[in-house]
Amino acid sequence: MLVSSYLVRTFKLSDYVSVTELFRNVLSEECYEETMSAFARQLSWDSELVLVAEDEGAIVGVIVGTIDNQDGYYYRIAVGQDHQRRGIGQNLIESLRQRFVGRKVRRIMVTIDSHNEVVIPVYEKAGYQAEDFSRFPQRLSIVNG
């Protein structure tokens, strides 16, 4: 799926270093540590729910989703500082939503924790409302192992 020059696609193993660098640059240190554990678990379970935004071969955005108890969850989203406010986050959210719909999940939730409260408006812009936000990320299998 293209948005201007950005391509949203499924994560590939060759993206690992770029994605971890993006997470390191965008997330706080504590959030980075928590995210990397969950990211590794999600990759081992279902890498099709990890999407990246690529611009001329560079990874500029990533979204990690998971399915837990037949519900789809957006877990973490990150877009490089120089690429924010260009629709990349919206495109990542919509692309993952389509994956969830294709998997016939019961409902789609946005995982909210102390690290990603700031992205609530991004999800609201995508059409998600208060009842779509899950404030109990520790219940997710990718978070608690």
Side-chain angles (χ1 to χ4, degrees):
M1 181 176 222
L2 282 172
V3 170
S4 87
S5 65
Y6 301 100
L7 170 68
V8 173
R9 62 169 174 76
T10 304
F11 173 89
K12 299 184 293 194
L13 189 55
S14 60
D15 299 327
Y16 187 80
V17 171
S18 297
V19 168
T20 58
E21 286 175 6
L22 177 65
F23 279 144
R24 188 180 310 275
N25 291 334
V26 173
L27 306 177
S28 70
E29 187 174 333
E30 181 184 357
C31 181
Y32 172 80
E33 296 299 328
E34 290 176 20
T35 299
M36 290 309 297
S37 296
F39 176 55
R41 277 192 283 285
Q42 186 58 38
L43 288 178
S44 71
W45 292 340
D46 188 350
S47 62
E48 293 286 315
L49 296 177
V50 178
L51 304 177
V52 298
E54 180 181 354
D55 181 28
E56 297 180 8
I59 302 300
V60 298
V62 60
I63 192 164
V64 178
T66 194
I67 296 174
D68 211 323
N69 294 320
Q70 298 178 331
D71 292 330
Y73 290 89
Y74 296 101
Y75 173 68
R76 191 73 76 215
I77 188 170
V79 176
Q81 299 285 344
D82 295 342
H83 295 86
Q84 292 177 4
R85 303 205 184 296
R86 297 186 185 179
I88 296 170
Q90 294 298 307
N91 196 310
L92 287 165
I93 291 167
E94 175 57 23
S95 296
L96 188 52
R97 186 193 69 78
Q98 290 174 13
R99 296 272 170 107
F100 288 144
V101 169
R103 300 277 187 95
K104 298 182 180 7
V105 299
R106 281 186 307 189
R107 64 185 170 165
I108 300 172
M109 304 292 293
V110 180
T111 304
I112 301 297
D113 60 23
S114 61
H115 305 298
N116 67 354
E117 292 269 345
V118 297
V119 297
I120 289 174
V122 175
Y123 286 101
E124 288 175 335
K125 184 177 178 182
Y128 293 92
Q129 300 172 1
E131 62 270 10
D132 302 316
F133 297 116
S134 172
R135 297 188 182 274
F136 303 102
Q138 66 275 14
R139 292 184 184 165
L140 291 179
S141 297
I142 65 167
V143 174
N144 66 25

